[in-house]
Amino acid sequence: MDSEKELFTVSVFSENTVGLLSQVALIYTRRCINIESISASTCSIPGVIKWTITSIATRHAMEKVVLQIEKCIEVLKAFLYTDDEIVYQEVALYKVDTSLLMDEPHLEEIIRNHNARILDINRDFTVIEKTGHYSETTALFEELKRYNLRQFVRSGRVTITKSEREFVSEYIEKQNQRKNGSQQG
Amino acid sequence: MKISGAEGLIKSLICEGVDTVFGYPGGQIIAVYDKLYDYQKEIKHILVRHEQGAIHAAQGYARSTGKVGVVIVTSGPGAANVVTGLGDALMDSTPLVVITGQVASAFLGTDAFQETDVVAITQQLTKWAVQIRRPEDIPSMVARAFYIASSGRPGPVVLDIAKDAQAGFAEWSHRSCNFIRSYNPHPEIPVSDITEIADMLNNAERPMILAGHGVTIANAEQTLMCVAEKGNIPVATTLLGRSNLPFNHPMHKGMLGMHGNLGPNIATNKADVILAVGMRFDDRITGDVKQYAPDAKIIHVDIDPSELNKIVHAYKAIHGDAGQLLTALLPLMKHRDRDEWLKLFKKCEEIEHREVIDPELHPNKQKMNMGEVISIVSEHAPENSICVTDVGQNQMFAARYFGCRSHRAFISSGGLGTMGFGLPAAIGAKIGAPRREVILFVGDGGLQMTIQELGTIMAYDVNVKIVLLNNSFLGNVRQWQELFFQGRYSQTEMTNPDFVRLASAYGIAGENVTVREELEGAINRMFDHKGAYLLNISIDADDMIFPMVPAGGSINTIILNPTTKLSL
Ligand SMILES: Cc1ncc(C[n+]2csc(CCOP(=O)(O)OP(=O)(O)O)c2C)c(N)n1
């Protein structure tokens, strides 16, 4: 068994029901695995919520976590990924003083170099947005730190798989066949 | 026509085939009890003496019948009192629907009188837990609850119903549930897997079947027997799978695990192919996993995919139903001579008889042993008896020395090991199977954990035979103290009441048995008596359950008796 800990991403597809979050969170808690980031949103399948949870643990532990998550009645499917199997992004927002933007010639250059953009600006402060991998949003953070950064926040990860097949759609398709079968028989 | 949520609940229960419920009323469930009053013909309510008794009784009922056990309790303390039973039922895959009253939805989250967050507390101990706040949701939620509790790997479900949902009115119509998009309890086992498993078993020189509770739940005991006979393959059973094969069937080689039989435990570590079906490799079975079944290709079949590769790595992990697998395997099985292999079991049996069983059954001392008592009760018990146990030495001795000869004949708290399970579970088992003799083996510690249920026996005239194996100690803990803590009996000696007089206060017949000469007569009187009976049998506190694989140890560390370790 490989006991190396690494960063894993779990994608969970579930119904939109009350209480599921605490159930899933407890699966991590029980194994003393820290959730590094979490995000949830609707996805391309009507009524289905997709969650993306990252954590650092062994593959062995994560495989069990995924099976336990799938065991929740309202969960359709859960998948375990390493970074090479997915396309993923995070969004970070940075708040700086607008006066600095005016006074510091480097600031604009930094924003440009990092492919970030200005989201909101007023007399007092400016909000900068950067989309990218963790390391990229962190790199911008490190640079802005020097300029009296007032706030910094980063979203949970969102992911799309690189696989050819869409396993959740296939699962729902199969389940619908079962449904029709069970209603005829 | 609109009816109240409470009435809708009861009508939906009836639609799901419920005719018996176990419960205890209270302020937040009183509307349901009021309606039960109108439906006494359709639903028999068993009023227990404590909510823990209600849920263990429902477990006993579910396990003797295969049906869903139903519990009704009030909010707060009532709900909290069923928590142990939920954990027990989850571990032991027992189908239950537990209905808890809840404060009115407007009061939720306000620390109202008798409010507890039941869904939050029970989420980790149930297969599904949900709160209902509107009367119109009751029929569909009840239907879902029964579907989830009884399908796939069965388990307990909680419906937490707010007071206003019980009191409010709504149109009612009930449709049973047989589909939930996010849930698939009927995995298909591919034909190619079946043929591969059959080939592996047929070609194996030293194959073995480990048959667990899943076989019982799938009602596949008969098929298991045919597979074992046709393939000439020895079978070992887990604690909860003890009645998968008649105890005296030539292919049934005994029990696995910490206090299991020598043959099955030793053979596990010599087998070349192991078919593990409907069992989950509990640590009380494997001991040290690293040294477990080193030579075997393990085929693990379970309806719960999260059990596969959880503890032991399976050569073939099959997500599927035990019954479906065995039925599909049967026509493919081929007889093969395995005399050498089967001789191993014979040899182990001889050693075990010499070192463990004979001294247990025929001691040359005055005081009685648990094993000898259970074995004599077993000889006198009708063939279709159900053996219920509590937890501790009484449980392990019953598992070893009671000879189960029929379907669903062994009921015990396996995964959680809940003391106090036995008495209420026996009551529920008897109510579920009134024509079968129900015999409870219980210790003096465990009996006192739910002894108030003698009141339920009295009230409903429940004919259970209570065999109290009274060693005036928390025997199982004492044994560990004896073996591993230099005989320092810290807090394990019990000062006990006069149990026979106590039973008699409840109108239950009984007698004390203090010497061996009285035993057989007393057992006969117990079985001849029409109604519940309590035998309070004095047991030698020094009697210990063997063989024993110390926790976390391997098969090589089996202790045969206080002075003999197994040397192979
Ligand atoms: C509710 C609960 N508390 C504690 C234990 C730990 N425990 C396991 S066996 C045992 C002793 C049981 O004693 P008794 O009921 O007299 O049965 P015996 O072992 O003597 O047959 C104890 C305390 C338990 N299993 N369940």
Side-chain angles (χ1 to χ4, degrees):
Chain A
M1 249 157 269
D2 52 351
S3 54
E4 281 293 289
K5 286 190 180 181
E6 52 179 321
L7 180 72
F8 285 99
T9 301
V10 173
S11 289
V12 181
F13 294 83
S14 79
E15 303 290 358
N16 191 5
T17 46
V18 175
L20 201 51
L21 174 61
S22 66
Q23 223 178 324
V24 170
L26 283 170
I27 292 169
Y28 284 82
T29 308
R30 191 171 164 194
R31 291 163 181 76
C32 207
I33 298 174
N34 193 34
I35 290 177
E36 300 293 326
S37 80
I38 180 165
S39 70
S41 79
T42 51
C43 67
S44 61
I45 307 161
V48 173
I49 303 296
K50 176 175 177 178
W51 329 19
T52 307
I53 308 169
T54 60
S55 52
I56 296 168
T58 63
R59 174 172 286 280
H60 187 65
M62 288 312 299
E63 281 170 351
K64 291 177 186 181
V65 164
V66 166
L67 285 171
Q68 289 300 324
I69 293 175
E70 269 197 352
K71 208 164 148 174
C72 300
I73 299 289
E74 280 99 357
V75 169
L76 295 134
K77 277 266 151 209
F79 302 96
L80 183 64
Y81 299 115
T82 46
D83 285 356
D84 53 321
E85 296 166 298
I86 47 180
V87 178
Y88 57 96
Q89 284 294 47
E90 287 151 15
V91 179
L93 300 179
Y94 313 75
K95 183 174 169 186
V96 295
D97 292 330
T98 303
S99 58
L100 277 176
L101 204 65
M102 304 295 172
D103 303 343
E104 290 284 347
H106 290 308
L107 253 182
E108 197 210 316
E109 201 184 311
I110 291 170
I111 295 169
R112 211 188 280 279
N113 286 348
H114 280 269
N115 253 329
R117 65 183 187 120
I118 290 176
L119 204 61
D120 190 39
I121 186 160
N122 65 28
R123 225 182 280 277
D124 298 322
F125 60 82
T126 297
V127 177
I128 300 161
E129 180 210 293
K130 159 84 191 150
T131 304
H133 288 178
Y134 187 91
S135 56
E136 295 166 330
T137 53
T138 306
L140 179 56
F141 170 74
E142 292 297 336
E143 295 218 43
L144 291 178
K145 257 201 323 207
R146 279 180 274 140
Y147 298 93
N148 191 27
L149 184 60
R150 286 164 56 142
Q151 285 186 38
F152 166 67
V153 63
R154 179 163 38 213
S155 73
R157 180 180 266 203
V158 293
T159 62
I160 297 269
T161 57
K162 290 180 181 169
S163 127
E164 285 287 308
R165 291 166 56 190
E166 302 304 332
F167 291 101
V168 182
S169 308
E170 287 177 19
Y171 170 79
I172 291 177
E173 183 58 34
K174 257 210 201 125
Q175 282 288 78
N176 282 335
Q177 283 167 11
R178 256 194 63 222
K179 179 184 184 182
N180 297 334
S182 71
Q183 280 174 356
Q184 279 155 17
Chain B
M1 197 190 64
K2 291 190 173 179
I3 59 171
S4 73
E7 184 166 8
L9 170 67
I10 289 165
K11 284 169 65 104
S12 286
L13 291 178
I14 295 167
C15 288
E16 292 294 337
V18 174
D19 55 15
T20 307
V21 301
F22 301 86
Y24 209 94
Q28 312 302 340
I29 194 76
I30 194 162
V32 171
Y33 274 84
D34 184 60
K35 279 297 151 197
L36 269 174
Y37 204 61
D38 293 334
Y39 287 89
Q40 292 179 51
K41 269 208 207 73
E42 291 84 353
I43 294 191
K44 177 167 186 185
H45 178 277
I46 306 291
L47 177 65
V48 293
R49 297 299 183 260
H50 184 295
E51 288 89 351
Q52 189 185 356
I55 191 161
H56 291 328
Q59 290 178 269
Y61 178 89
R63 284 172 63 178
S64 74
T65 59
K67 293 203 290 194
V68 177
V70 180
V71 177
I72 304 180
V73 296
T74 192
S75 67
N81 277 345
V82 302
V83 167
T84 305
L86 291 172
D88 197 288
L90 185 70
M91 284 277 237
D92 288 353
S93 316
T94 309
L96 296 182
V97 170
V98 177
I99 293 154
T100 58
Q102 181 55 281
V103 301
S105 40
F107 288 95
L108 285 166
T110 67
D111 297 326
F113 178 62
Q114 294 193 330
E115 181 192 0
T116 42
D117 190 347
V118 170
V119 171
I121 292 172
T122 60
Q123 243 175 7
Q124 287 291 295
L125 298 173
T126 52
K127 194 169 166 188
W128 191 57
V130 71
Q131 189 172 67
I132 305 176
R133 299 181 179 198
R134 303 185 310 174
E136 55 269 38
D137 294 337
I138 287 178
S140 62
M141 289 298 171
V142 170
R144 263 171 104 85
F146 276 82
Y147 178 54
I148 291 169
S150 60
S151 58
R153 178 176 179 178
V157 165
V158 163
L159 296 177
D160 187 42
I161 310 183
K163 198 167 183 175
D164 46 331
Q166 300 168 35
F169 281 75
E171 292 293 339
W172 177 88
S173 76
H174 189 90
R175 276 221 346 248
S176 277
C177 176
N178 61 9
F179 180 76
I180 295 173
R181 176 168 79 162
S182 54
Y183 173 62
N184 181 6
H186 302 294
E188 287 288 324
I189 306 174
V191 178
S192 56
D193 281 342
I194 304 273
T195 47
E196 189 182 341
I197 296 172
D199 286 345
M200 282 173 73
L201 288 171
N202 287 334
N203 294 328
E205 282 174 24
R206 300 181 309 280
M208 207 173 149
I209 298 175
L210 314 185
H213 196 198
V215 174
T216 317
I217 294 169
N219 295 321
E221 296 106 322
Q222 200 68 35
T223 325
L224 171 70
M225 182 155 86
C226 297
V227 168
E229 284 172 357
K230 195 169 168 205
N232 195 28
I233 300 177
V235 178
T237 48
T238 66
L239 177 68
L240 297 193
R242 286 302 280 148
S243 64
N244 283 337
L245 279 187
F247 80 104
N248 51 1
H249 188 281
M251 280 298 139
H252 191 178
K253 301 301 181 190
M255 181 167 76
L256 293 163
M258 180 179 273
H259 297 295
N261 294 103
L262 216 48
N265 279 333
I266 286 174
T268 308
N269 279 15
K270 308 226 184 263
D272 58 355
V273 174
I274 288 177
L275 172 63
V277 51
M279 56 86 74
R280 59 184 180 85
F281 294 104
D282 185 273
D283 51 271
R284 285 289 188 264
I285 283 194
T286 61
D288 180 8
V289 178
K290 287 198 196 78
Q291 301 182 60
Y292 183 76
D295 300 337
K297 287 182 173 164
I298 295 177
I299 307 158
H300 188 190
V301 185
D302 203 280
I303 191 79
D304 177 355
S306 72
E307 291 298 347
L308 303 172
N309 292 319
K310 186 180 82 172
I311 306 291
V312 302
H313 174 74
Y315 176 83
K316 256 196 110 50
I318 308 279
H319 177 205
D321 175 71
Q324 195 203 336
L325 173 93
L326 292 168
T327 307
L329 270 186
L330 183 56
L332 307 179
M333 295 307 296
K334 293 199 184 92
H335 180 92
R336 180 169 167 158
D337 286 329
R338 296 191 174 95
D339 291 347
E340 273 307 305
W341 177 228
L342 294 172
K343 253 189 224 149
L344 171 71
F345 291 92
K346 197 118 219 100
K347 193 177 139 216
C348 288
E349 271 165 33
E350 280 162 21
I351 300 174
E352 189 172 347
H353 263 278
R354 191 178 65 233
E355 299 290 335
V356 183
I357 299 175
D358 290 342
E360 176 66 28
L361 296 185
H362 313 287
N364 38 32
K365 62 176 179 188
Q366 218 158 22
K367 293 182 179 166
M368 285 180 279
N369 283 335
M370 284 197 192
E372 62 170 318
V373 172
I374 292 168
S375 146
I376 297 174
V377 172
S378 177
E379 281 163 20
H380 287 72
E383 178 159 325
N384 69 352
S385 297
I386 296 174
C387 169
V388 181
T389 82
D390 203 73
V391 166
Q393 291 180 316
N394 62 85
Q395 172 184 38
M396 291 299 132
F397 275 112
R400 287 177 56 84
Y401 293 97
F402 190 88
C404 295
R405 283 160 289 171
S406 59
H407 177 61
R408 290 182 180 273
F410 189 81
I411 297 175
S412 188
S413 166
L416 211 58
T418 305
M419 281 172 73
F421 172 86
L423 183 64
I427 293 171
K430 181 70 189 181
I431 289 170
R435 288 204 190 82
R436 297 174 69 177
E437 196 77 90
V438 172
I439 303 156
L440 168 67
F441 294 102
V442 61
D444 44 303
L447 180 61
Q448 291 181 81
M449 282 211 174
T450 47
I451 197 160
Q452 74 284 346
E453 300 309 329
L454 291 177
T456 309
I457 293 182
M458 170 179 68
Y460 299 93
D461 236 331
V462 189
N463 179 3
V464 293
K465 308 302 184 193
I466 305 166
V467 180
L468 170 56
L469 301 163
N470 188 346
N471 51 15
S472 295
F473 268 95
L474 300 176
N476 212 57
V477 180
R478 184 189 195 267
Q479 172 165 348
W480 286 48
Q481 290 171 335
E482 176 72 39
L483 293 175
F484 310 120
F485 294 88
Q486 298 85 42
R488 290 152 55 91
Y489 305 136
S490 175
Q491 301 301 321
T492 43
E493 188 165 3
M494 297 291 273
T495 306
N496 283 325
D498 181 333
F499 287 105
V500 171
R501 275 177 64 200
L502 193 60
S504 130
Y506 285 97
I508 297 168
E511 61 186 290
N512 294 309
V513 183
T514 50
V515 291
R516 185 169 287 112
E517 292 66 40
E518 298 166 355
L519 182 61
E520 195 143 356
I523 290 171
N524 280 326
R525 283 188 291 281
M526 172 176 81
F527 283 122
D528 289 344
H529 183 79
K530 303 237 171 326
Y533 206 86
L534 182 135
L535 282 188
N536 176 31
I537 305 178
S538 307
I539 296 291
D540 182 2
D542 287 330
D543 184 23
M544 289 197 265
I545 178 81
F546 288 112
M548 178 173 191
V549 184
S554 80
I555 304 301
N556 302 325
T557 58
I558 292 183
I559 308 171
L560 285 176
N561 56 49
T563 50
T564 319
K565 284 206 174 154
L566 183 69
S567 53
L568 290 172

